[in-house]
């Protein structure tokens, strides 16, 4: 007789314990999402000078985020990035899933530990790579089947798998898996992709919640001291809609209704559409998003795009241009771009950009860096990447200052006029 | 009547003025060679702990000199070298003559200014490159005609031209142009090359004296503040003689009789001969050279060779192995070499060498660096080069300490035993 009620009591207590534990986890999660915040210090028209706080530190916005595709910002050392004042960097879920594998990144303590980057990290979901880099893809509502660009192996990305990958990688901000289309796609194509991206967003959110609840908190391992970031992740939705203003507005509205997000991505721009169309879409989305949250314009920028988009209320940027173009010899300067391989720089004693205080410009001449390039020396790649990344970081910092001092319009006008004086080189 | 004596007086005064100027130049040159000195602080058998002073600073010996072939130690930043305690580095006259051209280096203020290296520099004469790298060479007493390995263009190196090139480059220590032969050459071949090298040395010395007198002192240009080093150069002779002890002794004797040199190069070793033959030749040359002057074993090298040669009285070393092998994935460790590309390091949380305090080992895991290598990331090349160069610098520093504390023999025995425990990998 005693047995039954006792068992029953044990059962109830066990169930009660489970509930309490889950509730406390949920409230812990809620408090963790509080570890993301955005404070606006000053505005100038649509532009804002803000501070985006993450579990790995603050990002003063507007900010440019250098791209560390494969757990390294190509050719740079983490110390270089610290020295030039980078605060938040990117990783790519697609690339890290293929190499070294997101489970290895997790095993090594997460991406921060793996690449020794103590500041905030954001991971792109692979949406862009699946549609631009992978081969033979087959799209369905469930996800995208594709061949790895490395070895041709078959892969199948779903919103759920991408959340698992991004959770393994452990960035602070993780982007949703989205359906990316060419920049000049027509309305039906753009609508289809945008609506699918929104349905996939809902699945991403559900999967992330499931992962947060089902995966116990991991204690930092002894050999990897420090914070384990995988339990402090903010999922960013991505506003799609191509170059069609109504679609952009509808997407923003649907996304806002779904959840209280920590910030918003603006996707599908700078993918082949006209510049004017891009600027117009930024304006449309700016009006449709809450003014209180950070906005991240994905894959943008070129220096002139940063200036134009900051004026239109964008807070965060990323682009491979500074490192990729740097490796091709293209240098950003206040007076436009130059290509260091040209013969005219053979004995040029000036720095890459006389107005720059980066670790390349304060030490080396154009003549020396040209020599490194012509001789295929690795230091040349590093110095140009370093300069170009510094150029964009510094540009965003200067824009921030102009917002704070109320001079943004004049600053932007002067900056663009000087930058555009020189005819841009084809790169 | 007045005209003639006056003219004559003017002529004599002019001539007198010229003589005074030349004499003061010669005495200035004499004082400048005084700016090279070698002080021995401690000895242990043949080994010495010394300080080699140059116009660009002191080198604590024994010392390893990283090789900056083309005005850059491949994949490293000058700041990396400073941070790891490198004091003297190398440049290659052959390579710099071809790219960017020694006259351009001169125009840019000399190699120190060009590559922003404030410490001492030594340039190799191109003797080794002409015989190992260039194609279709024709040797005559006058010099060597060869085809550039870059574009096949015909070039003709003479001892005189090489002095002009090394003077344009402006290193502190400049090596003579010599005739380099394979390590296992027979006695007649080795004798021919050694004797030619000695005749070429006399021509190098004469040409350098001519250049010092004929080229006026150059004032540092405004855009290149700092020392102009081209008037403070020490020519080092190179003791050749292959693996033939009598030839080595004769070469050392003839060279010593020719001039009061600031130091001596030991050439033609580590070029294919047996290790034992190399060590024997070092011993022979050590006995034949004055104990008061620094000895530089050219192109050597590997960690075990450094230890063996330091015990035999060598003070200076250089080798491309740490950077070249680093770029292939080979890592020097206290327990022998390892190749970072192997699968076993995929999730290895240890640093490359747990006993190392370089900027790679204090930050990154083997797993991360392996990932960088497998992914062809430039940072991987830099980190391995950095570690390997640091390894040799640190090895020479530890040997110096052992000489000073009188423990060299025990230290060397223990060091070699541990290093050789692991079977060396083929690289």
């Amino acid at each position: 007789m005693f047995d039954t009620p006792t068992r029953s009591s044990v059962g109830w207590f066990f169930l009660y314990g489970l509930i309490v534990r889950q509730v406390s986890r949920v409230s812990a999660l809620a408090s963790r999402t509080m570890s993301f915040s955005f404070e606006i210090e000053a505005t100038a028209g649509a532009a804002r000078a803000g501070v985006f706080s993450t579990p790995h530190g603050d990002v003063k916005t507007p900010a440019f985020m250098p791209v560390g595709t494969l757990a390294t910002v190509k050719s740079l050392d983490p110390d270089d990035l610290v020295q030039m004042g980078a605060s938040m960097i990117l990783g790519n879920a697609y690339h890290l899933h293929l190499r070294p594998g997101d489970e290895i990144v997790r095993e090594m303590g997460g991406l921060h530990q793996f690449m020794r980057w103590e500041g905030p990290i954001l991971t792109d979901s692979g949406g862009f790579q699946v549609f631009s880099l992978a081969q033979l893809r087959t799209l369905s509502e469930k996800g995208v089947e594709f061949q790895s660009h490395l070895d041709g192996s078959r892969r199948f990305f779903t919103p759920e798998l991408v959340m698992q990958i991004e959770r393994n990688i452990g960035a602070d901000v993780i982007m949703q898996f989205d359906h990316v289309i060419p920049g000049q796609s027509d309305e039906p194509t753009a609508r289809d992709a945008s609506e699918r991206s929104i349905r996939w967003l809902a699945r991403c959110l559900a999967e992330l919640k499931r992962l947060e609840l089902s995966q116990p908190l991991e204690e930092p391992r002894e050999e990897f001291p420090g914070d384990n970031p995988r339990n402090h992740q903010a999922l960013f939705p991505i506003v799609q809609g191509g170059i069609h203003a109504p679609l952009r507005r509808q997407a923003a509205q649907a996304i806002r209704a779904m959840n209280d997000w920590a910030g918003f991505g603006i996707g599908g721009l700078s993918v082949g559409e006209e510049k004017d169309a891009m600027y117009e879409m930024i304006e449309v989305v700016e009006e449709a998003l809450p003014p209180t949250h950070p906005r991240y314009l994905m894959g943008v920028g070129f220096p002139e795009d940063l200036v134009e988009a900051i004026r239109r209320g964008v807070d965060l940027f990323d682009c491979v241009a500074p490192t990729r173009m740097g490796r091709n010899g293209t240098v950003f300067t206040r007076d436009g771009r130059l290509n260091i391989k040209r013969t005219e720089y053979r004995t040029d004693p000036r720095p890459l950009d006389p107005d720059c205080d980066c670790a390349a410009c304060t030490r080396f001449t154009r003549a020396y860096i040209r020599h490194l390039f012509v001789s295929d020396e690795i230091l040349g790649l590093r110095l140009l990447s370093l300069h170009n990344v510094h150029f964009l970081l510094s540009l965003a910092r200067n824009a921030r200052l102009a917002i704070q001092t109320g001079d943004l319009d004049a600053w932007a006008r002067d900056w663009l006029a000087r930058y555009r004086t020189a005819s841009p080189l084809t790169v």
Side-chain angles (χ1 to χ4, degrees), chain A:
Chain A
M1 280 286 281
F2 267 92
D3 268 9
T4 317
T6 310
R7 263 195 200 145
S8 173
S9 304
V10 168
W12 276 110
F13 265 92
F14 182 69
L15 189 58
Y16 176 76
L18 262 184
I19 290 167
V20 167
R21 212 175 307 158
Q22 294 297 51
V23 167
S24 71
R25 269 189 199 161
V26 170
S27 80
L29 287 172
S31 77
R32 278 197 293 276
T33 57
M34 294 299 287
S35 56
F36 292 88
S37 65
F38 187 58
E39 191 190 331
I40 294 174
E41 295 178 346
T43 58
R48 312 98 72 74
V51 178
F52 177 46
S53 298
T54 81
H56 281 88
D58 292 347
V59 185
K60 291 182 178 171
T61 64
F64 176 77
M65 304 182 286
V67 181
T69 307
L70 272 161
T72 165
V73 177
K74 285 194 192 299
S75 87
L76 298 183
D77 190 295
D79 284 355
D80 294 329
L81 295 167
V82 170
Q83 205 183 345
M84 62 176 101
S87 51
M88 186 165 193
I89 65 171
L90 243 77
N92 281 111
Y94 170 90
H95 290 286
L96 291 168
H97 172 68
L98 296 180
R99 286 186 304 196
D102 49 281
E103 304 207 335
I104 284 187
V105 174
R106 181 188 186 101
E107 190 178 338
M108 301 313 295
L111 186 55
H112 294 81
Q113 288 286 357
F114 188 54
M115 69 182 291
R116 290 284 162 168
W117 178 253
E118 295 178 4
I121 302 179
L122 177 151
T123 38
D124 191 1
S125 65
F128 181 75
Q129 284 74 30
V130 162
F131 289 97
S132 65
L133 205 56
Q135 293 159 333
L136 294 176
R137 54 186 176 276
T138 316
L139 173 82
S140 68
E141 185 61 22
K142 196 174 175 205
V144 185
E145 192 181 3
F146 60 92
Q147 281 193 329
S148 156
H149 74 290
L150 290 178
D151 59 5
S153 59
R154 301 298 301 175
R155 309 275 172 155
F156 191 70
F157 268 16
T158 63
E160 290 77 16
L161 177 67
V162 166
M163 284 300 102
Q164 292 157 23
I165 292 170
E166 293 196 83
R167 193 158 173 80
N168 282 339
I169 295 170
D172 300 84
V173 174
I174 61 180
M175 302 307 295
Q176 74 155 103
F177 188 55
D178 57 346
H179 179 181
V180 179
I181 51 169
Q184 291 169 318
S185 301
D186 60 17
E187 203 270 353
T189 309
R191 177 180 296 276
D192 176 63
S194 174
E195 292 179 352
R196 180 167 301 101
S197 294
I198 294 167
R199 292 192 297 275
W200 283 359
L201 173 62
R203 287 166 57 191
C204 285
L205 182 61
E207 177 65 9
L208 183 62
K209 284 185 175 160
R210 189 189 71 77
L211 291 170
E212 285 174 338
L213 290 171
S214 66
Q215 291 184 0
L217 289 175
E218 289 177 21
E219 291 300 319
R221 289 185 295 173
E222 208 175 312
E223 63 267 40
F224 298 115
D227 183 27
N228 182 323
R230 281 191 295 275
N231 300 290
H232 309 262
Q233 295 186 294
L235 172 63
F236 270 28
I238 301 173
V239 179
Q240 293 284 3
I243 50 171
H244 308 280
L247 292 181
R248 290 274 172 185
R249 285 191 200 98
Q250 288 162 25
Q253 209 165 12
I255 288 167
R256 289 181 67 173
M258 195 186 294
N259 187 48
D260 178 20
W261 309 102
F264 296 85
I266 306 172
L269 291 177
S270 196
V271 287
E273 78 285 0
E274 298 289 327
K275 288 259 178 192
D276 285 346
M278 173 168 93
Y279 298 147
E280 190 202 328
M281 287 307 106
I282 296 171
E283 289 169 13
V284 166
V285 173
E286 188 271 330
E287 282 170 16
L289 289 180
T292 46
H293 286 57
R295 302 152 190 163
Y296 157 39
L297 180 57
M298 302 178 70
V300 174
F302 288 100
E304 61 272 35
D305 293 339
L306 246 72
V307 175
E308 296 287 8
I310 286 169
R311 293 177 62 201
R312 291 169 172 84
V314 173
D315 307 296
L316 295 167
F317 300 88
D318 82 285
C319 191
V320 293
T323 42
R324 184 172 293 165
M325 291 170 71
R327 294 198 304 282
N328 291 331
T330 301
V331 185
F332 295 143
T333 84
R334 281 288 281 106
D335 299 297
R337 296 189 292 203
L338 62 82
N339 193 308
I340 198 64
K341 288 181 281 191
R342 292 170 65 116
T343 312
E344 64 187 284
Y345 303 123
R346 209 152 149 260
T347 57
D348 193 331
R350 290 174 295 176
L352 296 172
D353 181 347
D355 283 352
C356 177
D357 61 353
C358 81
C361 289
T362 50
R363 294 185 296 161
F364 301 108
T365 61
R366 292 179 180 177
Y368 179 62
I369 297 176
R370 177 185 186 273
H371 159 66
L372 294 176
F373 247 83
V374 170
S375 306
D376 294 322
E377 286 288 349
I378 287 172
L379 181 59
L381 306 178
R382 175 159 167 272
L383 292 176
L384 280 207
S385 299
L386 197 152
H387 167 78
N388 282 349
V389 170
H390 178 277
F391 188 86
L392 290 180
L393 289 168
S394 167
L395 177 58
R397 275 195 293 266
N398 288 338
R400 188 173 201 276
L401 198 64
I403 296 167
Q404 286 176 318
T405 55
D407 296 329
L408 183 69
D409 278 345
W411 174 86
R413 195 178 49 241
D414 292 350
W415 197 96
L416 290 168
R418 181 171 165 194
Y419 186 76
R420 286 169 175 159
T421 310
S423 52
L425 296 168
T426 313
V427 286

